[in-house]
Amino acid sequence: MPRKIEARQSDIHGNGVFAIAPIEKGERVVEYKGKRRTHEEVDADDTGDVDSGHTFLFTLNDEYVIDANHKGNKARWINHSCDPNCEAVIEEHDGKNRKKDKVFIEAIRAIKPGEELTYNYGITLDEPHTARLKKIWACRCGSKKCTGTMLQAQERALISTWHGCRRKPEG
């Protein structure tokens, strides 16, 4: 499979991931990789600090989180946008081992070489979205549709998670 993405400096925030070849709508671009950790392990560690406004944590399911601080790949550098060109899709493992579930980033529209890949992180917190938290989780996407924050309205969120995603339909 030819390489279609590269990580480099982003105008949105820090590093970003960019297309270096055309990517078709519906194309699976990259798997979000990292160490599988339980929610309890992450909560006891400092890599999931809500007050930092920076995380490489991705909620995989009710049992596990993908921590791209450990064994992460380029996917961890994909930035948030309120008007994204990609989405995260969870692929559940056929067996009962939830640790084997995976997250893929898929294009929701055609992406041209040079474009930065983005998806909506869908961040929801179990605490009120105060002005302080909205500032910590400020969005820098620059889209005309920008809400100013990466935090999602709690009533609209389907699940409480660090990064939003949809589950791959079965069958």
Side-chain angles (χ1 to χ4, degrees):
M1 175 190 298
R3 194 177 84 152
K4 292 193 172 189
I5 60 172
E6 70 178 8
R8 63 175 190 252
Q9 189 69 36
S10 167
D11 288 338
I12 295 174
H13 181 253
N15 291 315
V17 175
F18 295 81
I20 57 173
I23 298 172
E24 296 179 25
K25 179 181 179 178
E27 187 173 340
R28 188 171 276 183
V29 182
V30 64
E31 180 181 351
Y32 193 98
K33 291 189 176 183
K35 183 177 180 180
R36 280 9 183 219
R37 300 176 70 201
T38 66
H39 290 272
E40 293 77 21
E41 290 171 331
V42 170
D43 290 345
D45 198 353
D46 63 356
T47 58
D49 182 15
V50 171
D51 291 333
S52 73
H54 184 75
T55 181
F56 291 127
L57 301 175
F58 201 118
T59 298
L60 182 60
N61 52 46
D62 289 341
E63 296 177 53
Y64 294 100
V65 172
I66 298 174
D67 185 348
N69 289 294
H70 307 277
K71 303 178 186 177
N73 63 349
K74 290 178 194 176
R76 70 182 169 170
W77 302 116
I78 299 175
N79 280 311
H80 165 87
S81 176
C82 298
D83 190 17
N85 53 20
C86 293
E87 68 181 348
V89 177
I90 291 180
E91 184 176 274
E92 293 180 347
H93 184 262
D94 289 338
K96 293 182 179 181
N97 187 350
R98 298 282 50 103
K99 199 171 191 176
K100 292 185 177 183
D101 291 354
K102 296 180 179 184
V103 174
F104 293 95
I105 307 301
E106 292 184 2
I108 57 174
R109 65 165 176 79
I111 303 171
K112 297 176 185 174
E115 276 190 79
E116 183 168 0
L117 276 61
T118 60
Y119 65 97
N120 185 327
Y121 288 0
I123 298 172
T124 61
L125 303 176
D126 291 332
E127 57 192 281
H129 295 175
T130 63
R132 183 183 73 77
L133 283 177
K134 286 180 182 178
K135 184 176 181 182
I136 290 170
W137 294 99
C139 180
R140 301 176 181 117
C141 74
S143 161
K144 291 177 185 177
K145 297 180 180 180
C146 185
T147 64
T149 182
M150 291 185 277
L151 299 175
Q152 303 297 299
Q154 290 171 325
E155 63 274 3
R156 292 188 331 180
L158 299 176
I159 57 174
S160 179
T161 182
W162 284 100
H163 289 92
C165 59
R166 68 174 172 84
R167 295 204 179 267
K168 182 106 176 144
E170 294 184 24

